[in-house]
Amino acid sequence: MKRYAIFLLALLCAGLLASCSGVPAQSVNLKPEIKAPSGNVGKGKAVALRVVDARADRVIGYRNTDGSHGAPITVEGDLAQSVGQPLGRMLSSLGFEPAPYKDGAARSLTVTIRELGYNAQALTVTRKVTTKCVLAVRATNGPGTWEGNFPVSQERELMMAPDENANARLVNDVLSESLSMMMSDPELVQFLGKDSVPGKTTIKE
């Protein structure tokens, strides 16, 4: 009887280990929303828009909370395109005419996705999910250049492990906040809206 109980316990432990290691990977669909003041700052001026995905790794994080690289989370489709579409609409709402990027354009806006991260950590009862986004911006207007960085980090405590839709919302939220911060920056918007800018580089602190 004792040997049978030990055998059942071993089977139970093996099942638990298999279920933990069998956490499926996720591919999240990102559709960021940009919230920023609109207006007619651009007055019809064309802006050559480019989004560059410069992340070091296509994996944005892992669902496992033990620090292992199990159950990776990736982005579905082309991240640069997912960011470029709402950016183009935001430029239009500011009175600009977004255009495909080309060297030598009178005005240009290059948004580089430096980092998009997800980290899950087990707490006593809950789990803490930290998401992070870092965007770098380089705008040109004639000979003038404007550069800035827009880092955002968010933390959430959850009772249960988030499914694919929940994780998509978490990553969308941090990406949307970084984009909204960028397009709400009055220095950047006014720089693009000026008729001409002296040949110097302005770096946002």
Side-chain angles (χ1 to χ4, degrees):
M1 184 68 181
K2 184 177 181 181
R3 184 177 300 176
Y4 180 67
I6 293 174
F7 176 72
L8 287 178
L9 182 60
L11 283 178
L12 178 60
C13 290
L16 287 173
L17 288 172
S19 64
C20 289
S21 61
V23 177
Q26 291 181 348
S27 179
V28 294
N29 183 20
L30 299 186
K31 295 181 179 179
E33 297 181 4
I34 304 176
K35 297 179 180 180
S38 58
N40 192 28
V41 180
K43 298 179 181 178
K45 299 181 180 71
V47 175
L49 176 62
R50 174 173 61 177
V51 178
V52 179
D53 184 0
R55 293 175 297 149
D57 195 338
R58 302 301 94 177
V59 174
I60 62 176
Y62 300 90
R63 298 181 66 196
N64 285 351
T65 58
D66 59 1
S68 66
H69 287 181
I73 303 174
T74 56
V75 175
E76 180 180 320
D78 186 346
L79 179 57
Q81 183 177 350
S82 298
V83 170
Q85 290 175 347
L87 267 178
R89 292 192 294 268
M90 190 68 238
L91 286 172
S92 296
S93 74
L94 288 166
F96 296 100
E97 289 188 12
Y101 184 86
K102 65 177 181 179
D103 292 333
R107 285 173 185 78
S108 69
L109 179 64
T110 299
V111 179
T112 302
I113 306 167
R114 298 276 184 212
E115 184 179 349
L116 187 62
Y118 175 105
N119 180 66
Q121 178 185 356
L123 302 179
T124 304
V125 178
T126 61
R127 68 167 53 201
K128 180 171 71 173
V129 174
T130 303
T131 52
K132 184 178 181 180
C133 178
V134 180
L135 300 178
V137 179
R138 186 177 189 274
T140 64
N141 185 344
T145 303
W146 190 96
E147 297 179 353
N149 291 288
F150 297 88
V152 173
S153 180
Q154 296 180 351
E155 288 186 357
R156 306 283 176 85
E157 280 196 30
L158 308 172
M159 293 299 298
M160 300 181 65
D163 60 15
E164 192 166 276
N165 290 330
N167 275 332
R169 286 193 296 271
L170 292 173
V171 181
N172 263 311
D173 284 349
V174 74
L175 178 58
S176 297
E177 184 178 344
S178 186
L179 287 166
S180 299
M181 182 190 301
M182 178 186 73
M183 294 308 298
S184 297
D185 191 299
E187 292 182 11
L188 171 60
V189 175
Q190 291 168 13
F191 174 86
L192 288 171
K194 290 180 179 178
D195 291 331
S196 62
V197 176
K200 66 176 183 178
T201 298
T202 302
I203 299 177
K204 177 182 174 63
E205 298 296 336

